[in-house]
């Protein structure tokens, strides 16, 4: 059974990956097909600019200003933004806390297609079925992968009938 907590963790992983891929693309560092993107380094000047740009693209300039105000209020000191001219020579902003908050907000609000979660579940079901057939010699037809009855539901029931003899043809 897939718990709500596990479902939420998978969704969060897809959201982080969405942001990591968007940042990598903005930096011209898109990974090869099938490879994970590099982790986002919030102290890098170009990454800081890419984070701000992505946030504005997905939200607005006003939303970025509001987030900066929230971070400033929470910690009791103003937010520093990366200087565009200094970023060109690789000099980042020392305000790591703000860029970590920006990355977290981007990840928390990144869109995730339900189809991605359904495909992940289907891939896992196929892998389990293949393992049962190949490694454990479970007869074909006794273990099969099926899609969930209600896509997006928090739980999928898995059954394995290991005690019943296979049906005669």
């Amino acid at each position: 059974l897939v718990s709500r907590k596990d479902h939420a963790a998978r969704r969060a992983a897809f959201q982080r990956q969405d942001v990591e891929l968007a940042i990598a693309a903005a930096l011209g560092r898109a990974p090869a097909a099938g490879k994970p993107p590099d982790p986002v380094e919030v102290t890098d000047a170009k990454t800081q600019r890419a984070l701000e740009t992505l946030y504005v693209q997905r939200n607005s300039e006003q939303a970025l200003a509001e987030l900066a105000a929230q971070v400033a209020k929470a910690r009791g000191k103003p937010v520093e933004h990366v200087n565009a001219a200094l970023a060109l020579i690789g000099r980042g902003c020392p305000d790591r806390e703000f860029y970590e908050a920006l990355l977290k907000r981007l990840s928390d609000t990144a869109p995730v297609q339900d189809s991605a979660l359904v495909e992940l579940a289907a891939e896992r079901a196929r892998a389990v079925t293949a393992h049962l057939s190949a490694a454990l010699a479970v007869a074909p037809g006794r273990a099969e992968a099926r899609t969930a009855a209600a896509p997006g539901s928090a739980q999928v029931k898995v059954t394995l009938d290991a005690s019943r003899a296979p049906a005669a043809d």
Side-chain angles (χ1 to χ4, degrees):
L1 294 174
V2 177
S3 69
R4 292 187 201 291
K5 186 176 178 181
D6 190 39
H7 182 74
R10 289 179 190 155
R11 179 173 289 281
F14 276 115
Q15 289 174 304
R16 275 189 309 277
Q17 184 180 36
D18 174 72
V19 173
E20 289 171 351
L21 288 170
I23 296 298
L27 296 173
R29 301 178 194 156
K35 300 287 184 182
D38 291 333
V40 175
E41 181 50 59
V42 296
T43 59
D44 176 70
K46 291 180 182 176
T47 301
Q48 291 172 343
R49 294 282 296 160
L51 283 165
E52 288 188 20
T53 300
L54 182 62
Y55 195 83
V56 169
Q57 287 172 347
R58 292 187 175 185
N59 298 282
S60 67
E61 287 279 350
Q62 181 180 349
L64 180 63
E66 289 170 1
L67 177 62
Q70 289 171 2
V71 170
K73 183 178 179 182
R75 67 181 185 183
K77 70 177 190 175
V79 164
E80 293 180 52
H81 292 273
V82 65
N83 180 300
L86 294 176
L88 291 174
I89 60 169
R91 189 166 173 203
C93 175
D95 197 344
R96 179 184 188 104
E97 187 177 356
F98 170 66
Y99 288 98
E100 286 175 346
L102 186 57
L103 177 60
K104 182 174 179 354
R105 180 70 59 91
L106 278 166
S107 295
D108 289 349
T109 60
V112 175
Q113 300 296 323
D114 284 336
S115 61
L117 294 170
V118 169
E119 181 56 30
L120 174 63
E123 286 176 22
R124 289 180 175 178
R126 287 188 296 270
V128 168
T129 301
H131 178 74
L132 289 171
S133 297
L136 302 178
V138 173
R142 294 195 64 198
E144 62 183 289
R146 296 183 188 169
T147 57
S153 64
Q155 297 184 359
V156 176
K157 185 176 181 180
V158 177
T159 61
L160 174 64
D161 184 8
S163 62
R164 187 177 68 198
D169 291 336

